Structures are given as C-alpha cells and as structure tokens.
Amino acid sequence: MKTKLSAFIIAYNEERIIEQCLMKLNWVDEIVVVDSGSTDATVAICEKYGAKVFYKKFEGFGEQKNFALDQTTNDWVINLDSDEVLTDALIEEIKTQIDKNDPEIVGYHIKMRMVFSGTIFNYGNESNRNSLRIFDKTKGKFNQATVHEYVSLNGKTIKLKNHYLHYSYDSINSYINKLNNYTQLYAKNRADSNKKYSVLEIIFKSHFEFVKKYFFQFNFLNKKAGFHWALLSSFYMYIKCIKTNEYLKK
C-alpha cells in the first residue's frame, strides 16, 4: 500500500528559488506552505503548484514549523526549506523506502549538498550534514527553538544515501541579508545567559572559524567559492559576538 506523504515549507519572499523546490514535489500527496507575509510573488507561485498556503506571523523557526506541521493531513511528512531542491535520485529512494511500510522506522535523514554562488560544494561540513527531514508526525514534532530547531522523535531512524541541493545564497547580498537575520536571533537567545564576549574571545572565535572552515573542513577543495565561504563564516562569527554584546547593553 502506498504511503501518503505531505510536504511542508515555511517561506518569506522566496520567489527566486521556491518554484524549483515545488517542481520537484509534484509526486507528493499534499504541499503545505506557511508564509510569513511575503511581498513578492512567493504566494502566487505556491498556489500555481497547488500548494495549500497559510499565513502566520514569524515568531521563531520551531514555532513556525510546528504550525506548518499541524496543517498537514497525512501522518508521514517531508520538511523542506524554500531554497532546497530534491534530486531525482533522492526522490526515487524516498518513494522506495516509505512504501516499504517498515513499522520500526519512524524517520529518515537525508544529506545536503550546499550550492553557494552557483557552485555545488562536494566538500566541507555544509555538504556532509544529515538532517531528519522525513518522519511520522505522530511520533514527534519540532522543539520551540527560535533558530536551529530540530525534530524530537521517538523511534528508529535511518540515513538515506542520496542528497538534496541547498541553494543557500545566490549572491553575497543574499548572504548578508540572511546573516543579519540569523545573527539577530542568535544575539537575542544568547543574551538570555547575560554573558558578553571578551575582545580576546571575539578575535579567537572569528579567526579560528576561518581556519576551521577552510582547512579542517576541506573547503579549500571547493576552490574560490570555498575560500569566500570560509571568510564569510568568519565574519558571521564576528557579527554574532558583537551583536550579542550590543544587545546586552540595551
């Protein structure tokens, strides 16, 4: 018996890439999109592909995704970000696995390949992550984290072999925009501990981040794009630290 599968996505001003995401979901039984007030063509594109679109003010990733999860009508779900695109090989693997109806398996981890400035990263930590994206929603849900949310699931999970493509940033400008949002969320959460970063901590953390990303995580094998990614990651760490300190002064 075929297992019915719902896909759910949270979105905000993603007209650049969301159509590619939706085109690779034409085989699922339901697509749910929760939009947080897009001012571009995101909603129209989603409706074009038959998605059920809901609005919810964004108050954190965990809460937003749990709301999206609650709108799905099938027990088995797949969660994607609006800038993530399934590969054909992964789609076939997913179909094969979930139709086995193994009662012991309640979730599947899938691997990401990051695409940065048009380059697919075959190396680096960003392209070796396995994340739980397909699961039986009766067995768990997302935590309430404002950022870096994850699914708490009761039961056995396995890792699939194939990967999806994460079109993280199409330009330096889009990276900076996302950096600003993510670092702000981080600073608010970190400020709850009432702990500032010292000057030495900021210097060490930002410099070490470059070394870690570029050398230890093999981003030098991603050539020029890998160098840019390591350098931007160092800047990201610096901004997180100084924003936290700034937030604690308020």
Side-chain angles (χ1 to χ4, degrees):
M1 180 178 174
K2 180 181 180 295
T3 301
K4 288 192 173 183
L5 183 69
S6 294
F8 67 97
I9 302 165
I10 64 172
Y12 176 72
N13 285 347
E14 293 289 352
E15 66 178 6
R16 171 186 66 87
I17 190 66
I18 198 167
E19 187 162 15
Q20 292 183 50
C21 173
L22 295 169
M23 287 173 65
K24 291 295 185 177
L25 290 173
N26 60 358
W27 56 278
V28 303
D29 299 282
E30 176 186 51
I31 302 173
V32 168
V33 176
V34 174
D35 184 78
S36 52
S38 293
T39 56
D40 63 3
T42 296
V43 171
I45 293 170
C46 292
E47 291 174 341
K48 171 185 171 183
Y49 284 88
K52 299 176 182 177
V53 182
F54 300 85
Y55 167 78
K56 185 183 185 305
K57 179 183 177 182
F58 184 82
E59 296 178 311
F61 285 95
E63 183 172 337
Q64 201 79 355
K65 289 191 175 182
N66 275 327
F67 177 81
L69 183 62
D70 289 341
Q71 311 315 308
T72 59
T73 59
N74 297 306
D75 289 343
W76 276 91
V77 296
I78 177 170
N79 170 225
L80 292 175
D81 290 341
S82 51
D83 57 1
E84 295 174 343
V85 180
L86 301 178
T87 59
D88 292 337
L90 178 58
I91 290 170
E92 292 308 311
E93 186 179 11
I94 293 170
K95 290 178 181 178
T96 300
Q97 289 294 331
I98 66 172
D99 284 345
K100 288 180 179 179
N101 291 310
D102 187 335
E104 291 188 5
I105 306 299
V106 299
Y108 298 93
H109 295 260
I110 52 179
K111 185 178 291 186
M112 178 182 82
R113 283 282 185 271
M114 184 174 78
V115 183
F116 176 62
S117 290
T119 300
I120 297 176
F121 277 35
N122 292 313
Y123 305 94
N125 186 56
E126 290 73 24
S127 286
N128 283 296
R129 294 175 180 169
N130 282 285
S131 54
L132 183 64
R133 295 303 189 91
I134 306 166
F135 60 96
D136 181 349
K137 71 179 184 183
T138 67
K139 305 297 182 182
K141 63 188 304 184
F142 290 90
N143 65 350
Q144 292 295 318
T146 305
V147 66
H148 301 313
E149 74 294 341
Y150 61 88
V151 179
S152 297
L153 200 62
N154 296 316
K156 182 180 178 181
T157 63
I158 62 174
K159 295 177 181 178
L160 299 185
K161 295 178 181 178
N162 291 289
H163 63 267
Y164 64 93
L165 298 175
H166 184 197
Y167 289 83
S168 312
Y169 316 96
D170 66 336
S171 66
I172 302 303
N173 186 58
S174 67
Y175 179 91
I176 297 300
N177 288 335
K178 288 190 176 182
L179 174 148
N180 194 43
N181 291 331
Y182 276 95
T183 53
Q184 195 66 21
L185 289 170
Y186 174 88
K188 289 179 180 178
N189 288 337
R190 170 80 182 188
D192 290 339
S193 66
N194 202 37
K195 183 180 178 182
K196 290 185 177 182
Y197 291 100
S198 69
V199 173
L200 287 177
E201 278 183 302
I202 295 172
I203 293 171
F204 174 79
K205 282 180 173 291
S206 57
H207 282 73
F208 180 72
E209 188 70 12
F210 174 82
V211 173
K212 180 181 73 174
K213 291 287 184 184
Y214 193 62
F215 295 105
F216 297 165
Q217 295 181 1
F218 302 104
N219 267 291
F220 64 89
L221 294 174
N222 292 318
K223 301 181 180 178
K224 182 171 68 174
F227 172 78
H228 290 160
W229 177 252
L231 196 60
L232 286 168
S233 297
S234 174
F235 179 63
Y236 178 85
M237 178 62 70
Y238 171 73
I239 296 298
K240 282 202 307 186
C241 293
I242 63 173
K243 272 195 176 185
T244 298
N245 289 356
E246 180 183 60
Y247 199 86
L248 284 169
K249 290 179 181 179
K250 294 180 180 179

